[in-house]
Amino acid sequence: NAGVMQNPRHLVRRRGQEARLRCSPMKGHSHVYWYRQLPEEGLKFMVYLQKENIIDESGMPKERFSAEFPKEGPSILRIQQVVRGDSAAYFCASSPTQGSWEKLFFGSGTQLSVL
Amino acid sequence: AQSVTQLDSQVPVFEEAPVELRCNYSSSVSVYLFWYVQYPNQGLQLLLKYLSGSTLVESINGFEAEFNKSQTSFHLRKPSVHISDTAEYFCAVSEGSGGSNYKLTFGKGTLLTVNP
């Protein structure tokens, strides 16, 4: 049973381009969470999704950021018109149910660098 | 709102020495507390957690942490560290039984470096 898979591992974009980050949850997990880690900061919650539904997006910037978790395929975090301040590590986690702490697993993250 | 403070960004120690990584939190509601570990190029892994019951919790690799409600602390300790314990350690908090019991608030992390 593979863990939470995130790709790409590293992503380089120029200002104004779009960034798409992918997260494949563990098999049997239908709950996905995205976190962002800015340099010298702790991880900060961005969004919580359950298949085809956004449950909580209170941590998402109001503009340029969106997330989806379709019925089929990975969860996608999309950042439009990236700026240098978007440079960060983006982590995805998954769980089989809400609040199942022993079964919450994180991916290795995507390091986004904006030039 | 909740917050987590990890007082030390880096902790260098020698192998077989004891170590304590400090964590303090603030919250207006009851909380669950966690320590996660991140080895190089890997995702975060749950090291140990406090949900209820005994305030002293232990991991399988010799770490322990004690929930101190009066001091709002959850410090991580190990009596004798190994080279393989070198990693970044994150303290995190979540609402205990509230509607947002899926959301973690993390500290900035402490890099533990164990030297031979």
Side-chain angles (χ1 to χ4, degrees):
Chain A
N1 188 5
V4 178
M5 305 300 293
Q6 289 190 250
N7 66 81
R9 188 77 175 88
H10 300 276
L11 181 62
V12 179
R13 286 287 178 266
R14 296 190 180 280
R15 282 179 296 169
Q17 292 184 319
E18 178 179 287
R20 280 179 176 251
L21 289 63
R22 294 175 183 76
C23 170
S24 295
M26 287 186 70
K27 185 176 181 181
H29 287 197
S30 59
H31 298 247
V32 166
Y33 316 81
W34 285 93
Y35 286 80
R36 177 168 67 172
Q37 184 180 26
L38 295 168
E40 309 299 322
E41 298 287 331
L43 283 76
K44 295 196 186 305
F45 170 83
M46 299 182 75
V47 62
Y48 163 33
L49 309 104
Q50 192 180 358
K51 280 290 187 181
E52 300 184 273
N53 293 305
I54 296 175
I55 308 300
D56 180 354
E57 57 181 348
S58 59
M60 290 275 273
K62 298 298 181 204
E63 298 177 348
R64 301 188 297 108
F65 284 72
S66 62
E68 63 177 11
F69 188 17
K71 187 176 180 180
E72 301 290 338
S75 175
I76 305 289
L77 180 67
R78 181 184 179 201
I79 311 172
Q80 295 178 290
Q81 299 176 323
V82 296
V83 300
R84 289 218 172 109
D86 297 332
S87 294
Y90 292 82
F91 291 92
C92 166
S94 73
S95 66
T97 57
Q98 178 178 317
S100 53
W101 298 112
E102 293 89 350
K103 298 180 182 179
L104 176 72
F105 294 97
F106 282 81
S108 299
T110 293
Q111 181 65 51
L112 172 66
S113 298
V114 179
L115 304 179
Chain B
Q2 300 167 328
S3 67
V4 176
T5 301
Q6 291 184 245
L7 296 165
D8 306 298
S9 59
Q10 298 186 50
V11 173
V13 295
F14 288 108
E15 194 173 17
E16 298 184 5
V19 70
E20 177 179 80
L21 307 184
R22 294 179 292 171
C23 172
N24 288 87
Y25 69 93
S26 66
S27 177
S28 58
V29 299
S30 62
V31 295
Y32 294 158
L33 293 157
F34 308 84
W35 277 98
Y36 281 85
V37 59
Q38 184 180 28
Y39 299 103
N41 299 312
Q42 295 187 28
L44 279 74
Q45 302 173 32
L46 181 63
L47 186 61
L48 45 76
K49 66 185 184 298
Y50 169 78
L51 304 183
S52 64
S54 173
T55 57
L56 183 65
V57 291
E58 300 177 347
S59 72
I60 59 173
N61 58 350
F63 283 94
E64 65 177 30
E66 186 162 19
F67 170 48
N68 188 320
K69 188 175 182 179
S70 62
Q71 297 187 6
T72 60
S73 68
F74 192 54
H75 301 330
L76 181 70
R77 303 184 182 94
K78 189 170 184 178
S80 175
V81 294
H82 302 289
I83 299 281
S84 59
D85 292 325
T86 294
E88 183 120 32
Y89 292 79
F90 293 92
C91 182
V93 63
S94 176
E95 278 189 27
S97 55
S100 297
N101 66 340
Y102 50 82
K103 188 185 304 185
L104 290 165
T105 299
F106 286 87
K108 293 185 179 182
T110 297
L111 178 61
L112 174 63
T113 303
V114 181
N115 299 300

